[in-house]
Each structure stands twice: as structure tokens, then as C-alpha cells.
Amino acid sequence: MMVDIGWLVPPICLLLGLSIFCWLRTRRFLGLLKARTEAYNESIREHASIQKDLIERAGDGIVMIQDGLIIQANRRVLEFSGCEREQVLGKPFSGFIPPEELPKVGEYYSRRIRGEPAPVVYETKLLHSSGHHIDVEISGGIVPMQGGVADLVLIRDITERKRSEARLLHNAAELERANHQLQAAIARSSEMAMRAEAANRAKTNFLANMSHELRTPLTTIMGMTELLQDGAFGPIVPRQAEGLGVIDGSSQHLLDLINDILDIAKLESGRVELERKPVEIRSLCRTCLDFVQEAANSKGVSLSLDCAGAPQKFWADGRRLRQILINLLGNAVKFTPEGGSAGLVASSMSGGQGVIFTVWDTGVGIAKDKLEHIFQPFEQLDNLGTQRPGGTGLGLALVRRFVQLHGGTIAVRSDLGQGSHFMVSIPDPVAMISLAGAPASEHSTLVELLKGVQVLLAEDDPTNASIMQLQLERRGAQVRRAANGQQALDSLRAAPADLVLMDIQMPVLDGLNAIRLMKEDAALRSIPVISLTALASDEDRQSCLAVGAQDFLPKPVDINALVAKIRALLASRGPA
């Protein structure tokens, strides 16, 4: 009997179609999966290549160590070791470590592998194939790998850093040594300075004491000589008179030497102070000429006096000024041959702010190469190489010191065989006569120069301060005074001024420190300062400008120059 299976055909066909469809879909999925897998694997390979390239190009050495052997190393590791790659890979890392460093490096490696605490970063050395060592800094960490763990090590070359550290340590040691040497030198210098100061004081005291002690017996000698010459003890014969004359002349010469030594001692010890008073110039000059007149007459040297260009009076220490002029006139007579001439000329300084005394002669003159030495203590001229003159060589040194005490200057012009001119410029600290005698029209013009300008004058010498205040007020300025730097600062903080005139050598607070404090004070730093000082060297000027002064004028101050500087400074600031 036949069974009818025709009804099975449609289901079978359906199943067959479904199977084919599923197979096609599976094949397509597998194709897509394969493509994506290949793309992913390519991406992994690309990233791995990039990472490998980055590792290879890294500035630090990178090495992978497993079981003590190097399994990976980049280019820098090869450079550090001086080896090719095949000479490094598979080799023990310890083979590249100097023997003295092996215990430390091995201990740290073992502790990291065991998971025990170990330094993350430490310094050691690597062996180069040439035999020298390289200073390196190593940092390591454990990374998991197939079949275990490995030590990933970063190696940084610190050779230059170690050299810099060594240089710094060397420089620090050198600096410390130099500092010790400097401190020792300062200590020695201080000790030497104290010894020199003590020696100088001892010398000065000795000279002063000896000068005074010598005057007592000398007074007796000179007194007795005079009595003998006057016949107080009976008549004397010509030969006795001649001998007494020699004694008298020698005694007078010795007294002059003692006086010079005493004056030098006083000057060096700072015990000389000027006593300024009004001095009649013509009377002063006449007295000085009279003093040397007898010596001039004995040599047939004519003397002259010219005071036509000088003021009637000026303020100075008359006694010291006589010493100056008598010394210069005495030298003029001494070095002028018989039949020659000498003289004294007095004239006014520019602006009437002092007097210039010129002592001239037609004597032997002074060689050019000796002019710079004649004012040094104990220097003497040899009278053109013939006979040495008497004296200590202190005369011109004293002259210069007394001139400087007056705030003045001395200059000399001389030629061999043509005579000499000594010019002494003495500033007048008051100039009262010339100021009081100014005509009304001139006064009116002066008042306009500094009209309304507020000036603070810091000056510790009351005479100089009064004179300058009067000079500035006659030109229209409104002046207030301070006797030292601290008073000047206090006055400015209470009421600022348009300008400050600052003396440098003052008590309590000197001018340099006062200027420095002014410039550190925001409220005062814009006030211009002109420093005034008897210290007139370039170094002194630079010191004043360095602390903040806008300008500098040496004493004695030329009032016209000062006014010009004030006007220029205020004009440069513009209107307030």
C-alpha cells in the first residue's frame, strides 16, 4: 500500500529554505565578525607599534627585567651601556651594575619582586662598555606578565646634575673659605687700624707734649740772650755781641720749628677750631708785610701791597690767616735773590663771596715736577740743587691745612727762574657788607629769582646756615632750617618743602642717611635734594647721587650757581 507523503514536501521545502537563510545570515555575521576582529587586531598592533616607538624614542632608559634577565630595552639603555641590542637582551641586569652598587640594587629589586616596601626612586651607577661609570636615577615598579611578574625600570642619566651639584658644593666650599679669609682680613684690618690710630694718637700726644716742654727752657735761653744783648749784666765786646746774635737767631729758628710741630700735632688731633670774626683786609695785609719787612730789607728785596680790588672786611680767623700769609711771604723773601721783588695782592672772589690773596715773587721759582709735592709734610725744596733751606718742611703743609679749615683752596703757578704765584681763595661765610650794600633795584631783581620757593636747609653750622638763609631769602625763597638729618626728616613730614639743601657731615643723622631715608618714604621721595659738602671729590659726588640726591655742590657754595641749580631742578619738575 502506498503512503501519500506529498504533504511533507512543503514543510521540507520550508525547512530547507530556512536552513539556507540561516546559513547565509551566519556566513554574513561571521564575515563581519572576522573583519571587525582583524580591524581590532590591526588597531592593537598599531597601538603596540606606537607604544614601542614611544618607548624606543624616550629620553630616559626603559628596561623590563624578569627573573633577573633583561627581556626588553630601549635605545637609551643601549646608549647607556654602549652595547648592541643583542648584547643586552637576555643578559642579567646585574651585569651592567658596578660591583660596589650591586648589593643595594639587588636588595631593592628582590624586595619589589616579593612585594615588600622598597625605594621608588634611588641613585646608582651603570657600567659602560668602555669601562667608565654613568650616574643614573632609577625608578622601578612591578607589572604582571604572562607566567609571572616583571620589574619595569626607568633609568635617567643624571651625570650633568651630579656635576652641577659637585660644582655647587665646590663653589659653596670656596665661598665659605673666602668668607673666612675675608672675616680674618677684616679682623686684621680692624686690629691694624686700631693700632695705627693708637700709634697716631700717641705720636700726636708726644709731639704736643714735647713741643710744650721744649718751650720752657727755650724761653729761658731767649730771655737771657736778650738781657745779655741789652747789657743787663755789663758791657759786651763786639765778638760777644756777634755770638749772642747767632744764639738769638738760632733760638728764634728753633721756636718757629716747635710752633710748626705743635700746629701739626693740633691739626692731626682735631683740636684746631677757627674763630671767625670780621677781619679788616688792608690792616691784615699790612701787618703781614711788616712782619717780613726786616728780612726783605736785609736782602734788598722790595715789597708791595695791592688791596684795591678787595672788600673792606670779611669773616675769617684772623690769627690763622696771618699764619698763612706770613708763611707764604716769608718763603717769597727767602727764595728771592738780592735786588728782586715780592708782593701781596688781595681781590674779591667772583660774586663777592670771598677774598683771593695772591703772594708773588721774582725769585728762583719751582720746578714743575716738584709742584705737586710742596704741600706735603716734611717736604723741602732744595733751592735748585744748591743749599737746603732751614726748616722742618711743615710750613706749606700747615698753610694748606689752615686754608682747608676755612673751606678754601690754594694753588700755585711757578716756573724756574721766573718766580712764583701762590693764590689762596678764602670764602666769606657771611658777606654781610656786600649784601647789605646792594642797591634797591638789584634787590628787587634778586627777589624774583626764587620767589615763593619753600626751601628746607639742613646745616649744622649756625653761622653758615644763617648766611645761606639770608642769601636765599634775599632771592625770594622761604627758608626753614634743620640742624641735622633727623630734624630735617621730622620737619619734612610735618610740612613738605619744594626743595631740600642737605649738608652731608652733620650730627645725630648725617646727610647721606637722611637722603636715603627720604627716598624710601613715599611721601618725601619726590622732593628734590641738592647735597652741599666740603668733601668735594668725584667719589663724594657719586656717593651723594647714589643715595638719591638730584645734584651736588661743593663748599664754599657759589650762591649764583646754587640758585641756577634750584631753578633748573624746579623747572624740570614742572608746575606743582
Side-chain angles (χ1 to χ4, degrees):
M1 175 174 130
M2 294 184 63
V3 177
D4 186 8
I5 58 174
W7 62 272
L8 293 173
V9 173
I12 291 172
C13 290
L14 179 61
L15 288 173
L16 183 61
L18 287 173
S19 298
I20 293 172
F21 175 76
C22 288
W23 177 78
L24 290 174
R25 292 287 292 178
T26 300
R27 184 178 180 184
R28 182 181 178 188
F29 173 76
L30 290 175
L32 291 173
L33 181 62
K34 181 180 179 181
R36 289 184 180 181
T37 301
E38 290 177 352
Y40 178 71
N41 289 336
E42 180 63 27
S43 175
I44 291 175
R45 287 193 295 272
E46 183 177 350
H47 281 83
S49 176
I50 292 173
Q51 290 176 354
K52 183 178 179 180
D53 189 55
L54 288 174
I55 292 173
E56 190 68 17
R57 294 174 181 272
D60 293 333
I62 301 175
V63 63
M64 189 80 76
I65 304 170
Q66 190 173 38
D67 298 328
L69 302 178
I70 299 174
I71 59 175
Q72 287 187 27
N74 70 348
R75 173 185 55 84
R76 286 292 283 163
V77 173
L78 304 181
E79 293 175 359
F80 293 157
S81 64
C83 300
E84 299 296 332
R85 195 176 299 275
E86 57 270 17
Q87 296 175 303
V88 173
L89 297 180
K91 300 296 190 296
F93 183 67
S94 60
F96 298 93
I97 304 295
E100 64 272 15
E101 294 288 315
L102 270 177
K104 176 178 69 175
V105 175
E107 173 68 15
Y108 292 164
Y109 172 75
S110 298
R111 285 162 61 180
R112 283 199 303 273
I113 293 298
R114 294 194 301 265
E116 298 175 1
V120 177
V121 179
Y122 62 93
E123 294 181 3
T124 186
K125 299 179 184 295
L126 287 185
L127 276 173
H128 192 273
S129 60
S130 64
H132 71 273
H133 295 173
I134 300 174
D135 290 303
V136 295
E137 180 183 83
I138 286 182
S139 56
I142 298 301
V143 294
M145 289 195 67
Q146 186 177 4
V149 293
D151 191 13
L152 178 62
V153 178
L154 273 67
I155 305 173
R156 174 165 296 173
D157 185 353
I158 59 171
T159 302
E160 191 57 40
R161 189 177 83 188
K162 299 296 281 187
R163 288 174 183 167
S164 298
E165 290 174 355
R167 283 195 296 269
L168 285 174
L169 290 173
H170 175 74
N171 292 340
E174 287 294 319
L175 182 61
E176 184 67 19
R177 184 161 49 253
N179 187 53
H180 285 313
Q181 292 174 349
L182 179 60
Q183 293 297 328
I186 291 173
R188 288 195 300 271
S189 298
S190 299
E191 183 180 359
M192 291 172 64
M194 288 189 291
R195 288 180 178 178
E197 180 64 23
N200 187 57
R201 285 197 302 269
K203 178 201 70 174
T204 299
N205 292 334
F206 171 78
L207 289 175
N209 292 334
M210 287 303 298
S211 296
H212 283 294
E213 291 297 326
L214 289 171
R215 296 168 77 91
T216 300
L218 185 58
T219 300
T220 303
I221 294 171
M222 296 180 71
M224 290 300 294
T225 300
E226 183 183 1
L227 289 172
L228 288 170
Q229 287 176 323
D230 289 343
F233 302 106
I236 58 175
V237 299
R239 289 193 63 186
Q240 291 174 329
E242 182 180 350
L244 290 171
V246 173
I247 295 175
D248 183 57
S250 297
S251 299
Q252 185 60 52
H253 179 59
L254 180 58
L255 179 60
D256 291 339
L257 298 183
I258 292 172
N259 287 335
D260 284 350
I261 293 173
L262 184 59
D263 282 337
I264 282 290
K266 287 181 178 179
L267 285 167
E268 289 187 348
S269 64
R271 295 200 300 266
V272 176
E273 294 184 2
L274 298 182
E275 297 179 6
R276 296 180 187 266
K277 297 178 181 178
V279 176
E280 292 189 0
I281 293 175
R282 176 170 290 278
S283 175
L284 169 72
C285 294
R286 185 72 265 168
T287 299
C288 294
L289 279 179
D290 289 344
F291 193 88
V292 299
Q293 186 68 60
E294 184 176 349
N297 291 340
S298 67
K299 294 185 64 175
V301 175
S302 62
L303 298 179
S304 66
L305 173 63
D306 180 5
C307 297
Q312 180 183 357
K313 296 180 180 180
F314 86 130
W315 281 65
D317 186 322
R319 185 167 68 93
R320 298 304 182 186
L321 201 52
R322 277 192 296 275
Q323 282 183 267
I324 294 170
L325 296 179
I326 288 173
N327 191 297
L328 294 176
L329 286 167
N331 284 342
V333 172
K334 181 190 299 184
F335 291 105
T336 299
E338 185 175 348
S341 57
L344 173 59
V345 178
S347 58
S348 292
M349 290 173 61
S350 176
Q353 300 304 307
V355 179
I356 300 174
F357 297 94
T358 302
V359 176
W360 61 271
D361 64 68
T362 59
V364 295
I366 306 170
K368 296 291 187 184
D369 60 338
K370 294 181 179 178
L371 287 177
E372 60 182 282
H373 303 296
I374 61 176
F375 294 108
Q376 299 300 321
F378 307 108
E379 289 287 338
Q380 293 176 312
L381 300 177
D382 61 4
N383 201 13
L384 299 179
T386 57
Q387 184 180 3
R388 288 183 63 85
T392 59
L394 294 174
L396 289 178
L398 286 170
V399 165
R400 185 174 68 169
R401 296 291 289 273
F402 287 138
V403 170
Q404 290 173 339
L405 276 177
H406 279 84
T409 59
I410 182 169
V412 59
R413 185 177 71 250
S414 184
D415 292 296
L416 283 176
Q418 302 297 318
S420 304
H421 287 71
F422 284 81
M423 289 75 70
V424 176
S425 299
I426 303 294
D428 183 353
V430 180
M432 295 294 292
I433 299 172
S434 58
L435 287 174
S441 58
E442 180 184 346
H443 179 75
S444 299
T445 304
L446 285 175
V447 170
E448 298 300 321
L449 291 176
L450 299 177
K451 186 176 182 180
V453 176
Q454 299 282 338
V455 176
L456 174 65
L457 173 61
E459 167 65 67
D460 63 319
D461 187 302
T463 302
N464 289 343
S466 298
I467 297 162
M468 186 166 290
Q469 180 177 2
L470 179 59
Q471 290 174 317
L472 293 172
E473 287 177 346
R474 281 178 51 79
R475 288 158 175 80
Q478 298 177 19
V479 182
R480 65 181 192 269
R481 287 160 47 181
N484 57 61
Q486 188 58 55
Q487 286 186 14
L489 291 174
D490 294 342
S491 178
L492 288 171
R493 286 166 180 152
D498 296 321
L499 179 129
V500 175
L501 301 177
M502 186 75 73
D503 185 25
I504 297 304
Q505 294 179 304
M506 293 186 292
V508 183
L509 181 67
D510 62 62
L512 290 178
N513 282 311
I515 296 172
R516 185 181 293 110
L517 291 173
M518 275 185 63
K519 299 309 174 180
E520 292 174 357
D521 190 325
L524 305 180
R525 67 168 60 108
S526 63
I527 301 175
V529 179
I530 298 177
S531 59
L532 311 175
T533 177
L535 306 173
S537 68
D538 289 339
E539 291 80 3
D540 298 315
R541 180 178 185 276
Q542 291 302 322
S543 297
C544 294
L545 298 180
V547 297
Q550 276 65 42
D551 216 325
F552 169 94
L553 269 179
K555 293 181 178 179
V557 175
D558 184 327
I559 189 62
N560 294 324
L562 176 60
V563 170
K565 287 182 179 292
I566 293 175
R567 286 168 61 89
L569 270 178
L570 297 180
S572 66
R573 295 180 67 203

